[in-house]
Structure formats: structure tokens, C-alpha cells
Amino acid sequence: MQKLIVEGGRRLRGELVLQGSKNSSLPILAASLLCREECVIRNCPALTDVYAAARILNCVGCRCTFSENTAVISPQTVTGTAIPEALMREMRSSIIFMGAMLGRMGECGVSVPGGCELGPRPIDMHLAALRKMGVDITEPGGSIVCRSRGGRAKGAKLTLAFPSVGATENIILCAAAAEGETVINNAAREPEICDLCGFLRACGADIAGDGGSSIVIRGRDKLHGCEYTVMPDRIAGATYLSMTAAAGGEMILDNACPAEMEPFLNVLEQTGCSIYTSGDRIYLRSGSRLRAVRDRIRTMPHPGFPTDAQAVLMAALATAEGTSVFEENIFDCRYRHTDALVKMGADIQILGKVAIVRGVPGLHGAPVEATDLRGGAAMVCAALAAEGISEISRICYIDRGYEKIEEAVRKLGGRISRV
Ligand code: EPU
């Protein structure tokens, strides 16, 4: 098993081109199943989760090749309607293939992705919405078998109990090829939803209202192919900015998406970092010591503070002057990284969904284990700020979301190696 070795305590300085978004690429790759012609998807990050999505596409009969951040998919030959359990387990978000396969084939067989690092991640909202769209769903022994009545799902008026990103994506995918109009009320407003809709519109889909709480999708008989460029990864962007804030220094992030990152940037700015944006560039300079964030940092659906950036900001605030308080409102179990930060000298107390972070003057290197994707990235942030050497193991989690993280950190002048 590979490890990252980080020698911390050095200020960072450099310029970095931000990778494409993982959480856009995955639903867009699934969406290509709906098309009858070749799709060329650019700015796709080279990540284990993206490779898993490509394997699923190949398994159901598409031809999907991936090179130099471009995925080329020929979905004309889709025949399969089932995704084997082993492939489903490789990646939690394999569940979004459900809506796409229903849209294309009118049926699908998948399995519930297994236990998770972030707590239970039910798919009840996905299933309830698809049932309302005329899909019969049975769940024999851990698998999920879906069949649209009459071979094609029907448009429906749906209201989500919570603006779930995955449920919104699954509904959009199914509705884009369904009969009639689907309205999703209380839809997720995340930028990645708009990116998925942007791709589908480029393929001829009729979708309006994405980015707002009500999305209207009028189903089309056939979608054509397109060339599309995936948006930048706002969470990877938040991570590299947090690293520079934590270690001190200055950096430029190129090919970023400042508007979509605003909920994060607004909070980061309160730590005393100077942040300027121009076009798709973000410039950050961090002073000698960060300040704690005065208001409670509550993770919320977009445009609230993103749950995916909670861990990396916490790592930066571990050495800030004063006490910061986080409230995690999206996932039940998203503080598992805090034990590692405490091992590195942080003072963090967890009280249910609240984390109290009392800033300490400095951290020290330690051997730690990544607990999940963003938690692992938070350990890299803390290690860069810490005096001495840290050894981060179980980095397979980190590799699910960060393209060659060690090369990116080295571009910022960080001392890091993969062994
Ligand atoms: N939920 C339900 N029932 C459902 C669906 C969701 O109870 O049917 C609950 C979940 O258990 C969770 C909350 O609703 O507590 C939010 O879940 P959501 O469906 O919005 O999240 P997701 O689609 O599973 C995506 C991202 C996550 C990100 C969340 C929230 C992808 C592939 N994943 O997950 O990204 O944290 O939205 O923004 O897009 C990551 O990149 O590290 C990551 C975990």
C-alpha cells in the first residue's frame, strides 16, 4: 500500500492549474449512456472513481477510452442492463447509473453500494422519485431491479424532502429520456448539477431551472453526441487553497471557478487571508498566523458552506488564533479525520454534529491513516503546516478525488513524496 511522506513547516508558493471536477465527471459519464452518438468529454480528472465509471460504461456495452483527461464514449452499442456488484462496490456514486440506464434501456439491475466512510447513505429519495415516474422497483437480496412500466419512464411532479445531489442527478438522467415533463421541486442547486444539465443540453435535452430549486425536464426521444468540457473541481480548489492557508504562503489557482467557490472563499477570507479573483484565477496570500472564524461554520446544501470542504478548512483552522466552531449538517459521520489532526497536536472536541477547534500555536508531524477522501486531504493540509515529517497511509481514499496530489503540492513548493 502506498503512502505519502510530507515534510511540513515550509511556506508554500506557486501556481497550479486546477483539475476538472470529479463530482461533475461521474454523472456526465453516466449521462453519455443516454446518447446515440459519440461523446467527447474533456477536462475529466484521471482518478480511480473516473476509471471505475469508465469500467461500468464498458461493462454495459459502450466503448469508453480515456487519455490525457479526455474520455471518448461510443454509446451506440449499449446492450447491458445490469452492473455487476463488484463494479457497483468500487464507487459509491455508481448509483447514478440507475437513472441513465432507465433512460436508455427502460430497465436496470444494480446493487446498493456497501457501507460507507461518511455514515449511512440511503437512496430512499432516489427510489421514491423513480417509482413516481412509473418505474417498478424490487430489491431482491441486496440488489435493485428497476423496470419502467411500458418500457419508458413517465414525467412526474416531484418534491424532494432534502435537496439530495445524487437523487436530483438520477431523476434528471431518467427524466431526460422519459415521456413528458418532470418537475423537481427542492432540487439540489450544486454547480455540478448545472454542469450535468449543461452536458445534457449540449446533447439536445430540454432542461430549465438548474441552479435554482425547481428544475423542469421535458423528455426527448433521442439525444445526440457532443463535445463537452467539465467544470473545474471546486473542492480540490478549496483543498489547495486550504493547504496554502495552513502552511502560510501565497499561490495562484488557474482554471478555477471563483463564483462557484464563493461560499468557501467568503469563509476562508475571514481567517485573514487575502484573496483576489480575476476571471478563472484565484490568488491567495496568507499572513503569519490565521485567525479563527468568528461565526459558526455550518455545512449546508449549495449555496451554503460545502460539507466537502469542512475537513480541509478544519485542518487550516487547527493552528489559527482563537476558537472556530463547525456544524456538520449533511453527513452523520464526517469528523473521522479529527483523531489524526489531534494526533498531530490539534485541539478538537466533537459534540455530536459540532466540532470545536481551539487553535494551537503549531502542529507536529505524525504517522496517520486517511479515513475518507476529504479527511485524507485534510491530513495532507495539516502535515504541510506541521513541523517535522508525517506519513499518511491508506491514500487510496485520497486518490479517488485528487489527481496526482503529490505533483500538485510540489508545484506549490511543498515537500511530499509517494512511496
Ligand atoms: N440522503 C438520504 N436519502 C437519499 C439521498 C440522500 O437520506 O435518498 C441523505 C444522505 O445520507 C446525506 C444527505 O442526504 O446525509 C446528502 O446526500 P446527497 O445525496 O446530497 O449526497 P451524494 O449525492 O451522496 C454528493 C457528492 C458528495 C457530497 C454530497 C453533498 C458525488 C459523487 N458525491 O453525494 O461528495 O459530499 O453530494 O454535497 O457527487 C466527496 O466528493 O467527497 C463527496 C462525498
Side-chain angles (χ1 to χ4, degrees), residues 289 313-320 341 345-348 357-361 363:
R289 189 174 178 197
L313 183 65
M314 187 181 291
L317 288 173
T319 51
L341 300 186
D347 179 351
I348 303 171
V357 184
R358 295 183 185 88
V360 293
L363 299 176

Side-chain angles (χ1 to χ4, degrees), residues 22-23 121-125 164-166 308 330-331 374:
K22 164 181 85 81
N23 290 349
R121 285 172 83 174
I123 53 162
D124 53 319
M125 283 189 260
S164 154
V165 173
D308 293 341
I330 308 296
F331 289 106
R374 308 302 172 188

Side-chain angles (χ1 to χ4, degrees), residues 99-113:
M101 286 176 56
L102 277 167
R104 175 71 188 262
M105 312 289 289
E107 60 179 274
C108 71
V110 297
S111 51
V112 187

Side-chain angles (χ1 to χ4, degrees), residues 10-94:
R10 293 162 55 86
R11 287 173 76 79
L12 299 181
R13 189 163 198 279
E15 189 165 344
L16 189 64
V17 178
L18 185 55
Q19 69 182 57
S21 164
K22 164 181 85 81
N23 290 349
S24 278
S25 298
L26 300 175
I28 288 174
L29 287 170
S32 68
L33 266 180
L34 296 170
C35 303
R36 307 294 167 140
E37 291 165 349
E38 184 178 270
C39 297
V40 178
I41 302 168
R42 302 191 196 283
N43 205 30
C44 237
L47 301 170
T48 48
D49 273 11
V50 170
Y51 298 145
R55 273 196 292 280
I56 292 178
L57 287 171
N58 283 321
C59 167
V60 296
C62 293
R63 217 176 48 246
C64 175
T65 59
F66 188 87
S67 97
E68 296 185 358
N69 296 114
T70 299
V72 179
I73 301 135
S74 304
Q76 298 91 329
T77 48
V78 175
T79 45
T81 57
I83 304 177
E85 193 177 341
L87 273 180
M88 284 297 292
R89 282 193 186 283
E90 275 189 37
M91 171 181 66
R92 182 138 303 276
S93 49
S94 48

Side-chain angles (χ1 to χ4, degrees), residues 285-338:
R285 182 158 43 86
S286 118
S288 49
R289 189 174 178 197
L290 299 185
R291 286 195 304 267
V293 173
R294 199 138 27 96
D295 294 332
R296 190 178 274 219
I297 303 160
R298 295 183 165 89
T299 67
M300 299 291 265
H302 193 78
F305 185 85
T307 173
D308 293 341
Q310 174 254 104
V312 293
L313 183 65
M314 187 181 291
L317 288 173
T319 51
E321 195 162 359
T323 298
S324 308
V325 178
F326 286 82
E327 185 181 300
E328 172 56 52
N329 294 305
I330 308 296
F331 289 106
D332 288 346
C333 195
R334 215 169 191 185
Y335 285 140
R336 291 178 62 212
H337 53 279
T338 56

Side-chain angles (χ1 to χ4, degrees), residues 4-8 344 364-368 379 382-383 386 388-392:
L4 289 173
I5 310 291
V6 181
E7 191 186 325
M344 297 167 87
H364 51 79
V368 291
M379 290 169 208
I389 293 184
S390 296
E391 197 177 293
I392 304 167

Side-chain angles (χ1 to χ4, degrees), residues 53-311:
R55 273 196 292 280
I56 292 178
L57 287 171
N58 283 321
C59 167
V60 296
C62 293
R63 217 176 48 246
C64 175
T65 59
F66 188 87
S67 97
E68 296 185 358
N69 296 114
T70 299
V72 179
I73 301 135
S74 304
Q76 298 91 329
T77 48
V78 175
T79 45
T81 57
I83 304 177
E85 193 177 341
L87 273 180
M88 284 297 292
R89 282 193 186 283
E90 275 189 37
M91 171 181 66
R92 182 138 303 276
S93 49
S94 48
I95 203 69
I96 43 168
F97 278 83
M98 190 164 56
M101 286 176 56
L102 277 167
R104 175 71 188 262
M105 312 289 289
E107 60 179 274
C108 71
V110 297
S111 51
V112 187
C116 175
E117 320 92 49
L118 309 179
R121 285 172 83 174
I123 53 162
D124 53 319
M125 283 189 260
H126 304 231
L127 300 184
L130 294 175
R131 283 191 169 108
K132 274 198 150 180
M133 296 177 74
V135 179
D136 289 327
I137 304 176
T138 53
E139 298 176 66
S143 54
I144 306 173
V145 179
C146 307
R147 250 183 214 103
S148 305
R149 285 194 288 279
R152 191 175 180 193
K154 311 268 179 306
K157 207 164 184 170
L158 307 164
T159 300
L160 297 179
F162 177 86
S164 154
V165 173
T168 303
E169 289 167 348
N170 249 331
I171 299 166
I172 291 170
L173 289 167
C174 182
E179 195 183 314
E181 181 180 280
T182 299
V183 179
I184 315 172
N185 291 315
N186 200 24
R189 299 170 58 190
E190 269 65 7
E192 293 76 15
I193 299 281
C194 300
D195 212 20
L196 168 63
C197 293
F199 169 78
L200 285 168
R201 272 192 291 267
C203 299
D206 182 352
I207 305 178
D210 45 300
S213 300
S214 274
I215 303 179
V216 181
I217 308 120
R218 290 185 197 90
R220 282 278 161 93
D221 289 342
K222 274 190 187 153
L223 298 184
H224 51 74
C226 78
E227 286 201 28
Y228 192 79
T229 301
V230 170
M231 68 175 283
D233 194 313
R234 63 193 171 103
I235 305 303
T239 302
Y240 294 117
L241 293 172
S242 296
M243 284 178 187
T244 305
E250 58 187 319
M251 70 172 287
I252 295 170
L253 196 60
D254 291 316
N255 188 32
C257 45
E260 288 77 7
M261 289 176 67
E262 211 171 87
F264 169 79
L265 295 176
N266 286 344
V267 175
L268 187 63
E269 209 162 26
Q270 293 171 43
T271 65
C273 289
S274 306
I275 299 173
Y276 307 100
T277 64
S278 163
D280 67 358
R281 300 181 109 198
I282 302 176
Y283 170 80
L284 173 136
R285 182 158 43 86
S286 118
S288 49
R289 189 174 178 197
L290 299 185
R291 286 195 304 267
V293 173
R294 199 138 27 96
D295 294 332
R296 190 178 274 219
I297 303 160
R298 295 183 165 89
T299 67
M300 299 291 265
H302 193 78
F305 185 85
T307 173
D308 293 341
Q310 174 254 104

